[in-house]
Amino acid sequence: MSSKEKPTLGGQRIKTRKRNIAAPLDPSSFSDAIVQIYLDNAGDLELVAKSIESSDLNFSRYGDTFFEVVFIGVRTQPGTIKPEEEGERHPYSLIDCAAQREAILPYVLFIQKTLRRRPFLIKSLENVMRKFLQSLEFFEENERQKLAIFTALAFSQKLSGLPPETVFQPLLKDNLVAKGIVLSFITEFFKEYLKENSLDDLIALLKKGKMEDNLLEFFPSGKRTSEALSEHFTKEGLTSLVEYNTKKMFEVKLKEIKSTLTTMINEEAEISEVTEVVKQQVKDAKFPDIEVVRMLWDVLMEAVQWSGKNQQQNSNSALRQVNAWAGLMNAFCTSGKLELELIYKVQTQCYEDAKLMKLFPEIIRSLYDQDVLAEDTILLWFRKGSNQKGRQSFVKALEPFVKWLEEAEEEE
């Protein structure tokens, strides 16, 4: 039996490509189409989102235009933020709403939903935000406030397309900073962001945007001082930020002083010269006396050559350092309170550093012999010292020396 071949159509099969004849082929028409969606849905963002989802508009080509319509209600003229003169505009944009969190948050969520459906629009959001931030002077004050609130909420909601550097770096245009526009914007941003985020969250954000150590760059050049920063942010109720900046500036200045002191110690400069340099830097930085004493001890111990073959050699190196620079410590331990603080500092380091654990009584004895520590201070620490780190063992180790002091005192 032979099977018959099934009949087939002859010729070449041509596949036709579907086209959406209604889809706008230019940015102006695209903008008008988005505006019309807003108007048809009376600005209801839920309905707008559904209409956009079901549309065949070319978002991949006109992403920037889309976000311009979302933010200001119309497409802008190329290279500017001026509305296109012939295009339609809708009254439901971000800058048309109230400058309040409750009014602006829905726009953040709307954009977030849009980006989830069309992640390729992330770059367009970044482009438009950068353009607007660099053009803040052309917005009204209340419009800038809305943009600041939007930006803060965008970070709070972890909106894609807004890496911190996209926000902070474009703000640093000289003319915007000089006019105080940037300071006003960033202040509103900080206030809104801290309503539902911690200071640590804000610092992490600033760090990613490379602004953690550069808050003064937001201030006009004539006001770039710690005092001006403290006064401004305190007035705005941002005391936690003031405290953070004060601590940060302290750490920066402390690092500078430590660096200078370390260099002079390694170069074996004269104690009198080192003392004068440190005193001037401490005065300029307005360092508390207690912090100076702690810092001096840290630097002296960090400069010790801990390369001995055994514990005894390391101990000898540490004691030589104490004896060599006792004059420097003496210049700054000018009261019983500061002497006591030095003992606490020595106690803490000996407790935390194994190679110094057994060296505590010898260091105290050496500081006494060099007139850095007074007898009364040592006795006060021995009888009533409040630092508990290893206190029991250190008291026992120092007991022979204290007994000697007490006997000498009785003889006198």
Side-chain angles (χ1 to χ4, degrees), residues 306 311-312 314-316 318-319 346-365 390 393-398 400:
W306 302 106
Q311 178 65 33
Q312 188 58 49
N314 284 329
S315 297
N316 292 339
L319 289 175
V346 174
Q347 176 187 347
T348 299
Q349 185 168 21
C350 288
Y351 175 76
E352 296 175 349
D353 192 335
K355 60 179 174 288
L356 294 177
M357 178 67 77
K358 296 181 180 180
L359 204 58
F360 179 77
E362 294 184 63
I363 292 176
I364 298 301
R365 178 66 181 261
S393 60
F394 289 142
V395 165
K396 187 175 181 180
L398 198 63

Side-chain angles (χ1 to χ4, degrees), residues 56-74:
D56 292 324
L57 298 173
N58 193 346
F59 286 89
S60 60
R61 185 171 183 179
Y62 303 118
D64 288 15
T65 299
F66 169 70
F67 284 112
E68 289 175 352
V69 175
V70 172
F71 279 100
I72 64 175
V74 68

Side-chain angles (χ1 to χ4, degrees), residues 179-190:
K179 294 176 181 178
I181 292 174
V182 171
L183 181 58
S184 177
F185 178 92
I186 207 67
T187 299
E188 191 65 44
F189 170 86
F190 288 157

Side-chain angles (χ1 to χ4, degrees), residues 148 152 182-200 202-203 206 215 218-219 226-247:
V182 171
L183 181 58
S184 177
F185 178 92
I186 207 67
T187 299
E188 191 65 44
F189 170 86
F190 288 157
K191 289 164 69 174
E192 185 61 42
Y193 186 79
L194 288 173
K195 286 180 181 179
E196 55 182 21
N197 298 279
S198 68
L199 180 64
D200 288 341
L202 177 59
I203 300 310
L206 290 169
L215 289 179
F218 293 128
F219 286 72
S226 296
E227 292 76 15
L229 183 147
S230 297
E231 180 181 352
H232 173 76
F233 286 133
T234 298
K235 182 180 178 182
E236 295 292 337
L238 296 169
T239 53
S240 60
L241 192 60
V242 173
E243 292 169 358
Y244 164 78
N245 188 70
T246 300
K247 181 181 178 182

Side-chain angles (χ1 to χ4, degrees), residues 293 296 328-336 338-339 342 371-373:
V293 170
L296 288 175
L328 179 63
M329 296 300 304
N330 196 23
F332 292 92
C333 288
T334 54
S335 68
L338 294 176
E339 291 175 21
L342 176 58
D371 294 326
V372 178
L373 296 177

Side-chain angles (χ1 to χ4, degrees), residues 140-377:
E140 300 292 333
E141 184 177 351
N142 70 322
E143 294 173 345
R144 292 196 292 267
Q145 183 183 9
K146 295 168 191 175
L147 286 173
I149 295 174
F150 170 84
T151 307
L153 292 175
F155 282 125
S156 295
Q157 297 294 322
K158 295 179 173 54
L159 182 67
S160 301
L162 280 184
E165 59 270 21
T166 300
V167 172
F168 299 132
Q169 297 305 319
L171 289 173
L172 301 180
K173 288 181 64 177
D174 291 342
N175 63 317
L176 294 179
V177 174
K179 294 176 181 178
I181 292 174
V182 171
L183 181 58
S184 177
F185 178 92
I186 207 67
T187 299
E188 191 65 44
F189 170 86
F190 288 157
K191 289 164 69 174
E192 185 61 42
Y193 186 79
L194 288 173
K195 286 180 181 179
E196 55 182 21
N197 298 279
S198 68
L199 180 64
D200 288 341
D201 292 331
L202 177 59
I203 300 310
L205 205 60
L206 290 169
K207 189 172 183 178
K208 290 178 182 177
K210 301 178 181 178
M211 293 301 298
E212 179 192 13
D213 301 326
N214 304 309
L215 289 179
L216 288 177
E217 290 189 28
F218 293 128
F219 286 72
S221 57
K223 296 183 179 180
R224 288 181 182 173
T225 64
S226 296
E227 292 76 15
L229 183 147
S230 297
E231 180 181 352
H232 173 76
F233 286 133
T234 298
K235 182 180 178 182
E236 295 292 337
L238 296 169
T239 53
S240 60
L241 192 60
V242 173
E243 292 169 358
Y244 164 78
N245 188 70
T246 300
K247 181 181 178 182
K248 194 68 182 178
M249 294 299 293
F250 174 84
E251 292 172 352
V252 170
K253 292 177 181 178
L254 179 62
K255 186 176 181 180
E256 292 175 355
I257 297 177
K258 278 188 171 184
S259 177
T260 300
L261 183 55
T262 299
T263 299
M264 297 187 78
I265 288 175
N266 291 336
E267 293 176 351
E268 298 182 352
E270 293 291 331
I271 289 181
S272 58
E273 181 185 357
V274 177
T275 301
E276 288 305 312
V277 170
V278 173
K279 281 185 175 180
Q280 186 59 51
Q281 287 191 312
V282 164
K283 181 180 179 181
D284 294 340
K286 299 179 181 178
F287 265 27
D289 293 338
I290 286 179
E291 294 296 338
V292 176
V293 170
R294 293 170 180 167
M295 178 268 297
L296 288 175
W297 182 257
D298 282 339
V299 173
L300 288 178
M301 288 299 100
E302 287 169 5
V304 173
Q305 299 297 319
W306 302 106
S307 57
K309 296 180 179 179
N310 54 51
Q311 178 65 33
Q312 188 58 49
Q313 289 182 342
N314 284 329
S315 297
N316 292 339
S317 295
L319 289 175
R320 278 198 300 271
Q321 186 81 319
V322 172
N323 291 328
W325 294 97
L328 179 63
M329 296 300 304
N330 196 23
F332 292 92
C333 288
T334 54
S335 68
K337 180 180 179 181
L338 294 176
E339 291 175 21
L340 190 61
E341 186 60 38
L342 176 58
I343 297 180
Y344 289 149
K345 184 64 181 176
V346 174
Q347 176 187 347
T348 299
Q349 185 168 21
C350 288
Y351 175 76
E352 296 175 349
D353 192 335
K355 60 179 174 288
L356 294 177
M357 178 67 77
K358 296 181 180 180
L359 204 58
F360 179 77
E362 294 184 63
I363 292 176
I364 298 301
R365 178 66 181 261
S366 180
L367 291 172
Y368 170 79
D369 291 340
Q370 298 291 334
D371 294 326
V372 178
L373 296 177
E375 176 184 332
D376 291 344
T377 305

